[in-house]
Amino acid sequence: MGLGTAQGKAMTVVGRAASVVLATVLTVAGCVTSTPEPTRTRSDDASGSPTSRRSPLVTQPRATTFVFAIGAEPTSFSPAAQDAGTRLIGRFLFSALYRLDERLLPRPDLAEAPPFIADDGRTWTVQLLPRIRFHDGSRLDPADVVFTYQLALSPNCPFGELCSIARAGLLDVSAEGDRGVRLELREPDSALLATLLSQLWIVPRGPVQASQKRFLDGARVVGPEAVAALVERVDTQTNAAACLGDSPPEPCALATHIDALEALLRKADLPLPARRAFPDGAGGDDAEAYAAALLRRVQLIGSALGSSGIDQLAAAFPLLDFGEDPVGTGAFAFERYRPGDAVELRRFAGAAGGAASIANVRAQIIEDPRVAATALKTGEIDWLPEIGAEQVSELANDAAVRIGGRPGPGIRLIVFNVRSGRVYADPAARHG
């Protein structure tokens, strides 16, 4: 596999009367608009399943709500989710030990002060703020922090790029007294304060473990043998030699295995991802992408059933129903998700930095960037996190809109099929 990197520019837009501090952790301050909207009652998704276990509430007037746009359906509300829209929502829901301010400097968030660093630079001690609570009212303690970092140190770590950062930088994490967390580093590394301690969102041990139990109740009904057999069958059929021909047989397409994958997930009592979360760019659904997501879930079941202890939980974490009704320590708590419409959050009075002055946050799902740009211009939304080049000139001419740009990382990837018998299995072919 070949890998190259490219530096791009990400554009963000703030509309009309929004008063927002946009940093790595988002903090909402001030009233955003005085335009009211009709109240709406809670709705269920297309399958008839409730989108939140909380009691129904009406949507708050716009004067109390900060609205921003996301370009696709969220995949989950778990810290394991890696899609851009869900990560933005997660910054309202969860907190890390530290946060990055507007100059990208680490500041205490759940921590009381910067870490105390021993003379050798390898032992860091972090004191937590007293009386911090999660959205469900339970108290944050060092065990929750240790639990989260153990997930990150697991070979089955579910936290994306933070996994390699954690494993490369940390040897161990342990509790120290009522409010202390002790981190043992492999080598002195001051960058960990910004790259890991300010990015890894802390999750509550109790609710996550309860969610794991519910997951295992269903997964064990399926059993590891059935999971392994299905994964092997899909792999064999989609990578058969005939798939390289001009007219590959039907089983070569991953989408032809959707029924079997869905059936196994249903037997494990796991929800299926929303098809609308995999748009094909032409108004329909991308069946191959949807099938790939199903296969990934089946593979995670197999990893979980084949592991134990914290490694089992780390493998199962992306599948837990904790991601449907998340509990964090962020400035806003999860209220409800209306598929095809919006995700709604409510102010959390017990937030570490104090209650936000905005009562509600709504992530409006707007897949068409042109529609999102129009919504910003008309004041229907207050912030558009990213815009394409074609929208820049249009919005730049609107006096009521402010556009900001920042360097953004990019990755260009070339992937080679290096299985035995394939052309690129020969290193000379890849490097020629």
Side-chain angles (χ1 to χ4, degrees), residues 334-394:
F334 180 75
E335 186 57 54
R336 58 180 173 175
Y337 166 39
R338 297 182 294 186
D341 185 11
V343 180
E344 297 184 357
L345 314 177
R346 69 180 188 281
R347 177 170 54 202
F348 177 48
S357 56
I358 295 295
N360 306 282
V361 167
R362 184 164 74 249
Q364 197 75 39
I365 301 167
I366 307 177
E367 296 180 359
D368 189 330
R370 294 167 300 179
V371 174
T374 299
L376 184 77
K377 293 177 67 175
T378 59
E380 296 173 60
I381 63 174
D382 303 299
W383 179 40
L384 190 53
E386 291 189 8
I387 56 173
E390 61 276 10
Q391 274 85 49
V392 173
S393 58
E394 174 189 356

Tab-separated table of all heavy atoms in Angstrom, residues 334-394:
chain	number	residue	atom	x	y	z
A	334	PHE	N	-27.582	14.647	25.278
A	334	PHE	CA	-28.369	14.135	24.162
A	334	PHE	C	-29.854	14.183	24.497
A	334	PHE	O	-30.281	13.786	25.567
A	334	PHE	CB	-27.950	12.697	23.859
A	334	PHE	CG	-28.686	12.071	22.723
A	334	PHE	CD1	-28.393	12.411	21.410
A	334	PHE	CD2	-29.691	11.143	22.958
A	334	PHE	CE1	-29.077	11.827	20.353
A	334	PHE	CE2	-30.379	10.550	21.908
A	334	PHE	CZ	-30.059	10.898	20.599
A	335	GLU	N	-30.659	14.679	23.548
A	335	GLU	CA	-32.106	14.734	23.721
A	335	GLU	C	-32.810	13.756	22.794
A	335	GLU	O	-33.538	12.884	23.222
A	335	GLU	CB	-32.614	16.151	23.476
A	335	GLU	CG	-34.091	16.338	23.783
A	335	GLU	CD	-34.445	15.963	25.206
A	335	GLU	OE1	-33.826	16.485	26.147
A	335	GLU	OE2	-35.332	15.104	25.378
A	336	ARG	N	-32.608	13.894	21.492
A	336	ARG	CA	-33.260	12.992	20.563
A	336	ARG	C	-32.639	13.111	19.172
A	336	ARG	O	-31.986	14.109	18.848
A	336	ARG	CB	-34.755	13.285	20.473
A	336	ARG	CG	-35.083	14.713	20.039
A	336	ARG	CD	-36.572	14.949	19.972
A	336	ARG	NE	-36.852	16.349	19.719
A	336	ARG	CZ	-38.067	16.827	19.516
A	336	ARG	NH1	-39.108	16.022	19.545
A	336	ARG	NH2	-38.259	18.119	19.288
A	337	TYR	N	-32.866	12.078	18.383
A	337	TYR	CA	-32.408	12.031	17.001
A	337	TYR	C	-33.612	11.743	16.122
A	337	TYR	O	-34.310	10.762	16.325
A	337	TYR	CB	-31.356	10.929	16.865
A	337	TYR	CG	-31.017	10.516	15.448
A	337	TYR	CD1	-30.921	11.441	14.409
A	337	TYR	CD2	-30.780	9.184	15.153
A	337	TYR	CE1	-30.598	11.052	13.118
A	337	TYR	CE2	-30.453	8.768	13.863
A	337	TYR	CZ	-30.364	9.713	12.847
A	337	TYR	OH	-30.048	9.324	11.565
A	338	ARG	N	-33.844	12.621	15.166
A	338	ARG	CA	-34.934	12.445	14.215
A	338	ARG	C	-34.318	12.156	12.857
A	338	ARG	O	-33.836	13.074	12.181
A	338	ARG	CB	-35.814	13.687	14.176
A	338	ARG	CG	-36.504	13.992	15.504
A	338	ARG	CD	-37.406	15.195	15.411
A	338	ARG	NE	-36.656	16.421	15.172
A	338	ARG	CZ	-37.204	17.628	15.174
A	338	ARG	NH1	-38.494	17.766	15.398
A	338	ARG	NH2	-36.475	18.698	14.938
A	339	PRO	N	-34.273	10.861	12.441
A	339	PRO	CA	-33.623	10.517	11.170
A	339	PRO	C	-34.179	11.344	10.017
A	339	PRO	O	-35.382	11.572	9.898
A	339	PRO	CB	-33.969	9.028	11.004
A	339	PRO	CG	-34.149	8.530	12.409
A	339	PRO	CD	-34.796	9.671	13.141
A	340	GLY	N	-33.260	11.817	9.189
A	340	GLY	CA	-33.650	12.640	8.055
A	340	GLY	C	-33.876	14.093	8.396
A	340	GLY	O	-34.094	14.913	7.501
A	341	ASP	N	-33.812	14.437	9.675
A	341	ASP	CA	-34.120	15.811	10.085
A	341	ASP	C	-32.999	16.415	10.927
A	341	ASP	O	-32.242	17.257	10.439
A	341	ASP	CB	-35.437	15.837	10.854
A	341	ASP	CG	-35.889	17.249	11.202
A	341	ASP	OD1	-35.293	18.211	10.678
A	341	ASP	OD2	-36.817	17.395	12.008
A	342	ALA	N	-32.876	15.999	12.183
A	342	ALA	CA	-31.945	16.693	13.063
A	342	ALA	C	-31.597	15.858	14.283
A	342	ALA	O	-32.285	14.896	14.633
A	342	ALA	CB	-32.547	18.035	13.507
A	343	VAL	N	-30.531	16.276	14.941
A	343	VAL	CA	-30.133	15.764	16.260
A	343	VAL	C	-30.260	16.919	17.234
A	343	VAL	O	-29.754	18.020	16.965
A	343	VAL	CB	-28.684	15.246	16.250
A	343	VAL	CG1	-28.290	14.726	17.634
A	343	VAL	CG2	-28.500	14.159	15.191
A	344	GLU	N	-30.934	16.691	18.348
A	344	GLU	CA	-31.187	17.769	19.300
A	344	GLU	C	-30.508	17.483	20.638
A	344	GLU	O	-30.561	16.364	21.155
A	344	GLU	CB	-32.693	17.950	19.488
A	344	GLU	CG	-33.400	18.365	18.206
A	344	GLU	CD	-34.876	18.649	18.411
A	344	GLU	OE1	-35.368	18.463	19.539
A	344	GLU	OE2	-35.528	19.053	17.429
A	345	LEU	N	-29.883	18.509	21.170
A	345	LEU	CA	-29.183	18.441	22.453
A	345	LEU	C	-29.750	19.507	23.372
A	345	LEU	O	-30.245	20.538	22.920
A	345	LEU	CB	-27.683	18.679	22.262
A	345	LEU	CG	-26.986	17.935	21.109
A	345	LEU	CD1	-25.522	18.342	21.031
A	345	LEU	CD2	-27.117	16.428	21.278
A	346	ARG	N	-29.652	19.281	24.674
A	346	ARG	CA	-30.125	20.261	25.638
A	346	ARG	C	-28.987	20.630	26.594
A	346	ARG	O	-28.078	19.844	26.845
A	346	ARG	CB	-31.311	19.709	26.442
A	346	ARG	CG	-30.960	18.588	27.395
A	346	ARG	CD	-32.185	18.086	28.152
A	346	ARG	NE	-31.812	17.147	29.205
A	346	ARG	CZ	-31.517	15.880	29.015
A	346	ARG	NH1	-31.535	15.374	27.802
A	346	ARG	NH2	-31.175	15.102	30.029
A	347	ARG	N	-29.066	21.824	27.112
A	347	ARG	CA	-28.041	22.338	28.023
A	347	ARG	C	-27.912	21.457	29.257
A	347	ARG	O	-28.905	21.026	29.850
A	347	ARG	CB	-28.399	23.766	28.423
A	347	ARG	CG	-27.446	24.405	29.425
A	347	ARG	CD	-27.747	25.884	29.572
A	347	ARG	NE	-29.140	26.130	29.901
A	347	ARG	CZ	-29.773	27.286	29.683
A	347	ARG	NH1	-29.124	28.299	29.123
A	347	ARG	NH2	-31.032	27.444	30.016
A	348	PHE	N	-26.659	21.194	29.671
A	348	PHE	CA	-26.376	20.424	30.879
A	348	PHE	C	-25.913	21.388	31.963
A	348	PHE	O	-24.844	21.985	31.871
A	348	PHE	CB	-25.302	19.378	30.588
A	348	PHE	CG	-24.879	18.578	31.788
A	348	PHE	CD1	-25.813	18.006	32.642
A	348	PHE	CD2	-23.533	18.376	32.066
A	348	PHE	CE1	-25.424	17.262	33.752
A	348	PHE	CE2	-23.128	17.632	33.166
A	348	PHE	CZ	-24.084	17.079	34.010
A	349	ALA	N	-26.741	21.539	32.988
A	349	ALA	CA	-26.453	22.526	34.030
A	349	ALA	C	-25.202	22.190	34.811
A	349	ALA	O	-24.546	23.078	35.371
A	349	ALA	CB	-27.650	22.633	34.979
A	350	GLY	N	-24.823	20.905	34.866
A	350	GLY	CA	-23.677	20.499	35.669
A	350	GLY	C	-22.370	20.436	34.924
A	350	GLY	O	-21.420	19.792	35.397
A	351	ALA	N	-22.265	21.069	33.763
A	351	ALA	CA	-21.039	21.012	32.974
A	351	ALA	C	-19.859	21.585	33.748
A	351	ALA	O	-20.011	22.518	34.553
A	351	ALA	CB	-21.221	21.772	31.667
A	352	ALA	N	-18.667	21.038	33.504
A	352	ALA	CA	-17.476	21.431	34.254
A	352	ALA	C	-17.196	22.922	34.154
A	352	ALA	O	-16.802	23.560	35.130
A	352	ALA	CB	-16.275	20.636	33.753
A	353	GLY	N	-17.410	23.515	32.994
A	353	GLY	CA	-17.134	24.937	32.821
A	353	GLY	C	-18.306	25.836	33.144
A	353	GLY	O	-18.266	27.026	32.880
A	354	GLY	N	-19.369	25.252	33.727
A	354	GLY	CA	-20.569	26.019	34.004
A	354	GLY	C	-21.585	25.859	32.886
A	354	GLY	O	-21.246	25.469	31.764
A	355	ALA	N	-22.826	26.166	33.182
A	355	ALA	CA	-23.896	25.992	32.199
A	355	ALA	C	-23.733	26.971	31.042
A	355	ALA	O	-23.413	28.145	31.239
A	355	ALA	CB	-25.252	26.184	32.867
A	356	ALA	N	-23.958	26.485	29.823
A	356	ALA	CA	-23.897	27.340	28.636
A	356	ALA	C	-25.059	28.323	28.646
A	356	ALA	O	-26.122	28.062	29.212
A	356	ALA	CB	-23.944	26.483	27.376
A	357	SER	N	-24.881	29.452	28.000
A	357	SER	CA	-25.946	30.451	27.958
A	357	SER	C	-26.991	30.131	26.894
A	357	SER	O	-28.077	30.693	26.897
A	357	SER	CB	-25.357	31.844	27.696
A	357	SER	OG	-24.593	31.851	26.521
A	358	ILE	N	-26.655	29.229	25.986
A	358	ILE	CA	-27.613	28.744	24.992
A	358	ILE	C	-28.303	27.510	25.559
A	358	ILE	O	-27.660	26.618	26.103
A	358	ILE	CB	-26.905	28.395	23.674
A	358	ILE	CG1	-26.326	29.647	23.047
A	358	ILE	CG2	-27.845	27.687	22.705
A	358	ILE	CD1	-27.350	30.657	22.605
A	359	ALA	N	-29.618	27.454	25.428
A	359	ALA	CA	-30.366	26.358	26.045
A	359	ALA	C	-30.302	25.071	25.241
A	359	ALA	O	-30.341	23.978	25.806
A	359	ALA	CB	-31.830	26.762	26.241
A	360	ASN	N	-30.221	25.169	23.911
A	360	ASN	CA	-30.308	23.986	23.061
A	360	ASN	C	-29.360	24.092	21.875
A	360	ASN	O	-29.013	25.193	21.434
A	360	ASN	CB	-31.733	23.805	22.525
A	360	ASN	CG	-32.778	23.791	23.618
A	360	ASN	OD1	-32.949	22.796	24.298
A	360	ASN	ND2	-33.466	24.914	23.802
A	361	VAL	N	-28.971	22.937	21.376
A	361	VAL	CA	-28.176	22.851	20.152
A	361	VAL	C	-28.883	21.875	19.216
A	361	VAL	O	-29.372	20.833	19.654
A	361	VAL	CB	-26.743	22.363	20.448
A	361	VAL	CG1	-26.021	21.982	19.155
A	361	VAL	CG2	-25.961	23.418	21.200
A	362	ARG	N	-28.948	22.226	17.931
A	362	ARG	CA	-29.536	21.324	16.960
A	362	ARG	C	-28.600	21.168	15.767
A	362	ARG	O	-28.171	22.160	15.172
A	362	ARG	CB	-30.898	21.832	16.475
A	362	ARG	CG	-31.579	20.842	15.523
A	362	ARG	CD	-33.066	21.122	15.318
A	362	ARG	NE	-33.321	22.276	14.472
A	362	ARG	CZ	-33.847	23.416	14.912
A	362	ARG	NH1	-34.168	23.556	16.202
A	362	ARG	NH2	-34.059	24.425	14.097
A	363	ALA	N	-28.264	19.913	15.460
A	363	ALA	CA	-27.492	19.600	14.257
A	363	ALA	C	-28.489	19.248	13.162
A	363	ALA	O	-29.115	18.189	13.204
A	363	ALA	CB	-26.540	18.449	14.527
A	364	GLN	N	-28.650	20.137	12.207
A	364	GLN	CA	-29.617	19.941	11.125
A	364	GLN	C	-28.973	19.124	10.013
A	364	GLN	O	-27.873	19.450	9.553
A	364	GLN	CB	-30.065	21.302	10.579
A	364	GLN	CG	-31.337	21.262	9.767
A	364	GLN	CD	-32.567	21.095	10.658
A	364	GLN	OE1	-32.649	21.665	11.736
A	364	GLN	NE2	-33.506	20.280	10.193
A	365	ILE	N	-29.629	18.065	9.586
A	365	ILE	CA	-29.086	17.204	8.536
A	365	ILE	C	-29.473	17.782	7.172
A	365	ILE	O	-30.646	17.788	6.792
A	365	ILE	CB	-29.620	15.766	8.686
A	365	ILE	CG1	-29.233	15.213	10.065
A	365	ILE	CG2	-29.072	14.865	7.582
A	365	ILE	CD1	-29.966	13.954	10.441
A	366	ILE	N	-28.474	18.298	6.457
A	366	ILE	CA	-28.695	18.893	5.138
A	366	ILE	C	-27.639	18.315	4.207
A	366	ILE	O	-26.466	18.715	4.252
A	366	ILE	CB	-28.600	20.432	5.170
A	366	ILE	CG1	-29.520	21.022	6.255
A	366	ILE	CG2	-28.938	21.017	3.815
A	366	ILE	CD1	-29.421	22.531	6.391
A	367	GLU	N	-28.030	17.377	3.365
A	367	GLU	CA	-27.065	16.659	2.544
A	367	GLU	C	-26.558	17.492	1.365
A	367	GLU	O	-25.409	17.354	0.965
A	367	GLU	CB	-27.688	15.361	2.037
A	367	GLU	CG	-28.026	14.380	3.167
A	367	GLU	CD	-28.648	13.100	2.649
A	367	GLU	OE1	-28.836	12.988	1.414
A	367	GLU	OE2	-28.951	12.217	3.475
A	368	ASP	N	-27.388	18.341	0.815
A	368	ASP	CA	-26.995	19.143	-0.348
A	368	ASP	C	-26.275	20.408	0.135
A	368	ASP	O	-26.871	21.242	0.827
A	368	ASP	CB	-28.240	19.524	-1.151
A	368	ASP	CG	-27.902	20.168	-2.485
A	368	ASP	OD1	-26.852	20.834	-2.588
A	368	ASP	OD2	-28.702	20.027	-3.435
A	369	PRO	N	-24.995	20.592	-0.206
A	369	PRO	CA	-24.261	21.778	0.261
A	369	PRO	C	-24.862	23.082	-0.222
A	369	PRO	O	-24.749	24.116	0.439
A	369	PRO	CB	-22.844	21.560	-0.279
A	369	PRO	CG	-22.975	20.554	-1.363
A	369	PRO	CD	-24.138	19.702	-1.003
A	370	ARG	N	-25.525	23.059	-1.374
A	370	ARG	CA	-26.154	24.288	-1.865
A	370	ARG	C	-27.346	24.666	-0.996
A	370	ARG	O	-27.573	25.847	-0.709
A	370	ARG	CB	-26.590	24.089	-3.322
A	370	ARG	CG	-25.438	23.898	-4.295
A	370	ARG	CD	-25.926	23.403	-5.636
A	370	ARG	NE	-26.609	22.125	-5.525
A	370	ARG	CZ	-27.147	21.471	-6.544
A	370	ARG	NH1	-27.085	21.995	-7.762
A	370	ARG	NH2	-27.752	20.305	-6.361
A	371	VAL	N	-28.105	23.661	-0.580
A	371	VAL	CA	-29.230	23.930	0.313
A	371	VAL	C	-28.721	24.438	1.665
A	371	VAL	O	-29.297	25.350	2.260
A	371	VAL	CB	-30.077	22.648	0.501
A	371	VAL	CG1	-31.173	22.869	1.539
A	371	VAL	CG2	-30.683	22.214	-0.825
A	372	ALA	N	-27.618	23.855	2.139
A	372	ALA	CA	-27.047	24.298	3.411
A	372	ALA	C	-26.588	25.748	3.331
A	372	ALA	O	-26.804	26.540	4.260
A	372	ALA	CB	-25.883	23.390	3.802
A	373	ALA	N	-25.968	26.118	2.213
A	373	ALA	CA	-25.513	27.498	2.052
A	373	ALA	C	-26.699	28.460	2.029
A	373	ALA	O	-26.647	29.551	2.620
A	373	ALA	CB	-24.699	27.625	0.761
A	374	THR	N	-27.775	28.054	1.372
A	374	THR	CA	-28.984	28.891	1.347
A	374	THR	C	-29.576	29.028	2.742
A	374	THR	O	-30.010	30.124	3.146
A	374	THR	CB	-30.027	28.286	0.388
A	374	THR	OG1	-29.474	28.232	-0.930
A	374	THR	CG2	-31.295	29.119	0.380
A	375	ALA	N	-29.582	27.935	3.498
A	375	ALA	CA	-30.117	27.972	4.863
A	375	ALA	C	-29.308	28.919	5.742
A	375	ALA	O	-29.857	29.600	6.618
A	375	ALA	CB	-30.122	26.567	5.460
A	376	LEU	N	-28.008	28.988	5.497
A	376	LEU	CA	-27.178	29.922	6.254
A	376	LEU	C	-27.526	31.361	5.884
A	376	LEU	O	-27.662	32.226	6.752
A	376	LEU	CB	-25.700	29.642	5.975
A	376	LEU	CG	-24.723	30.495	6.781
A	376	LEU	CD1	-24.612	29.985	8.208
A	376	LEU	CD2	-23.346	30.514	6.128
A	377	LYS	N	-27.689	31.623	4.616
A	377	LYS	CA	-27.986	32.976	4.163
A	377	LYS	C	-29.343	33.458	4.659
A	377	LYS	O	-29.525	34.652	4.938
A	377	LYS	CB	-27.944	33.032	2.632
A	377	LYS	CG	-26.555	32.808	2.048
A	377	LYS	CD	-26.578	32.796	0.533
A	377	LYS	CE	-26.933	34.139	-0.036
A	377	LYS	NZ	-26.836	34.145	-1.516
A	378	THR	N	-30.299	32.545	4.770
A	378	THR	CA	-31.641	32.939	5.213
A	378	THR	C	-31.789	32.915	6.734
A	378	THR	O	-32.848	33.268	7.241
A	378	THR	CB	-32.695	32.007	4.601
A	378	THR	OG1	-32.428	30.654	5.006
A	378	THR	CG2	-32.686	32.103	3.085
A	379	GLY	N	-30.744	32.505	7.441
A	379	GLY	CA	-30.803	32.505	8.897
A	379	GLY	C	-31.426	31.267	9.500
A	379	GLY	O	-31.660	31.223	10.710
A	380	GLU	N	-31.685	30.225	8.695
A	380	GLU	CA	-32.251	28.990	9.242
A	380	GLU	C	-31.225	28.217	10.049
A	380	GLU	O	-31.571	27.458	10.956
A	380	GLU	CB	-32.791	28.123	8.105
A	380	GLU	CG	-33.950	28.743	7.352
A	380	GLU	CD	-34.315	27.909	6.142
A	380	GLU	OE1	-34.678	26.723	6.339
A	380	GLU	OE2	-34.228	28.421	5.017
A	381	ILE	N	-29.951	28.346	9.708
A	381	ILE	CA	-28.871	27.765	10.503
A	381	ILE	C	-27.878	28.869	10.831
A	381	ILE	O	-27.850	29.916	10.175
A	381	ILE	CB	-28.166	26.609	9.765
A	381	ILE	CG1	-27.487	27.116	8.487
A	381	ILE	CG2	-29.140	25.474	9.472
A	381	ILE	CD1	-26.644	26.049	7.788
A	382	ASP	N	-27.074	28.620	11.869
A	382	ASP	CA	-26.139	29.645	12.344
A	382	ASP	C	-24.691	29.351	11.988
A	382	ASP	O	-23.851	30.243	12.040
A	382	ASP	CB	-26.247	29.759	13.871
A	382	ASP	CG	-27.654	30.066	14.323
A	382	ASP	OD1	-28.167	31.121	13.940
A	382	ASP	OD2	-28.251	29.238	15.045
A	383	TRP	N	-24.401	28.092	11.657
A	383	TRP	CA	-23.007	27.732	11.392
A	383	TRP	C	-22.975	26.607	10.376
A	383	TRP	O	-23.741	25.643	10.470
A	383	TRP	CB	-22.335	27.289	12.692
A	383	TRP	CG	-20.894	26.877	12.554
A	383	TRP	CD1	-19.938	27.475	11.787
A	383	TRP	CD2	-20.261	25.761	13.193
A	383	TRP	NE1	-18.740	26.808	11.908
A	383	TRP	CE2	-18.903	25.757	12.773
A	383	TRP	CE3	-20.701	24.790	14.084
A	383	TRP	CZ2	-17.989	24.800	13.210
A	383	TRP	CZ3	-19.799	23.834	14.530
A	383	TRP	CH2	-18.455	23.852	14.107
A	384	LEU	N	-22.106	26.755	9.388
A	384	LEU	CA	-21.858	25.724	8.390
A	384	LEU	C	-20.386	25.334	8.526
A	384	LEU	O	-19.505	26.086	8.112
A	384	LEU	CB	-22.166	26.275	6.994
A	384	LEU	CG	-22.190	25.307	5.824
A	384	LEU	CD1	-23.119	24.139	6.098
A	384	LEU	CD2	-22.607	26.034	4.551
A	385	PRO	N	-20.094	24.194	9.167
A	385	PRO	CA	-18.704	23.861	9.506
A	385	PRO	C	-17.774	23.788	8.312
A	385	PRO	O	-16.608	24.176	8.408
A	385	PRO	CB	-18.826	22.493	10.198
A	385	PRO	CG	-20.218	22.448	10.720
A	385	PRO	CD	-21.037	23.184	9.712
A	386	GLU	N	-18.259	23.266	7.176
A	386	GLU	CA	-17.398	23.171	5.995
A	386	GLU	C	-18.202	23.535	4.753
A	386	GLU	O	-19.376	23.200	4.648
A	386	GLU	CB	-16.827	21.755	5.845
A	386	GLU	CG	-15.814	21.392	6.908
A	386	GLU	CD	-15.107	20.080	6.606
A	386	GLU	OE1	-15.308	19.544	5.491
A	386	GLU	OE2	-14.372	19.605	7.473
A	387	ILE	N	-17.547	24.230	3.832
A	387	ILE	CA	-18.195	24.562	2.565
A	387	ILE	C	-17.243	24.231	1.432
A	387	ILE	O	-16.019	24.220	1.603
A	387	ILE	CB	-18.596	26.051	2.494
A	387	ILE	CG1	-17.384	26.957	2.723
A	387	ILE	CG2	-19.699	26.368	3.475
A	387	ILE	CD1	-17.674	28.420	2.508
A	388	GLY	N	-17.799	23.949	0.278
A	388	GLY	CA	-16.992	23.694	-0.901
A	388	GLY	C	-16.560	24.983	-1.563
A	388	GLY	O	-17.082	26.063	-1.283
A	389	ALA	N	-15.607	24.864	-2.471
A	389	ALA	CA	-15.068	26.046	-3.145
A	389	ALA	C	-16.147	26.809	-3.894
A	389	ALA	O	-16.105	28.041	-3.991
A	389	ALA	CB	-13.957	25.615	-4.095
A	390	GLU	N	-17.143	26.060	-4.418
A	390	GLU	CA	-18.184	26.720	-5.204
A	390	GLU	C	-19.088	27.597	-4.348
A	390	GLU	O	-19.765	28.488	-4.859
A	390	GLU	CB	-19.029	25.682	-5.952
A	390	GLU	CG	-19.768	24.693	-5.072
A	390	GLU	CD	-18.915	23.504	-4.645
A	390	GLU	OE1	-17.687	23.538	-4.873
A	390	GLU	OE2	-19.481	22.553	-4.081
A	391	GLN	N	-19.127	27.357	-3.033
A	391	GLN	CA	-19.964	28.175	-2.161
A	391	GLN	C	-19.221	29.392	-1.585
A	391	GLN	O	-19.844	30.299	-1.049
A	391	GLN	CB	-20.493	27.341	-0.991
A	391	GLN	CG	-21.769	26.574	-1.293
A	391	GLN	CD	-21.467	25.252	-1.952
A	391	GLN	OE1	-20.630	24.501	-1.487
A	391	GLN	NE2	-22.156	24.957	-3.040
A	392	VAL	N	-17.889	29.385	-1.664
A	392	VAL	CA	-17.119	30.452	-1.033
A	392	VAL	C	-17.465	31.813	-1.615
A	392	VAL	O	-17.778	32.769	-0.895
A	392	VAL	CB	-15.605	30.182	-1.157
A	392	VAL	CG1	-14.809	31.391	-0.653
A	392	VAL	CG2	-15.215	28.947	-0.366
A	393	SER	N	-17.422	31.939	-2.931
A	393	SER	CA	-17.673	33.248	-3.542
A	393	SER	C	-19.103	33.708	-3.297
A	393	SER	O	-19.356	34.897	-3.077
A	393	SER	CB	-17.386	33.183	-5.045
A	393	SER	OG	-18.185	32.186	-5.662
A	394	GLU	N	-20.039	32.760	-3.313
A	394	GLU	CA	-21.437	33.110	-3.081
A	394	GLU	C	-21.637	33.676	-1.681
A	394	GLU	O	-22.286	34.714	-1.492
A	394	GLU	CB	-22.311	31.873	-3.283
A	394	GLU	CG	-23.776	32.091	-2.919
A	394	GLU	CD	-24.565	30.789	-2.911
A	394	GLU	OE1	-24.001	29.744	-3.264
A	394	GLU	OE2	-25.755	30.847	-2.527
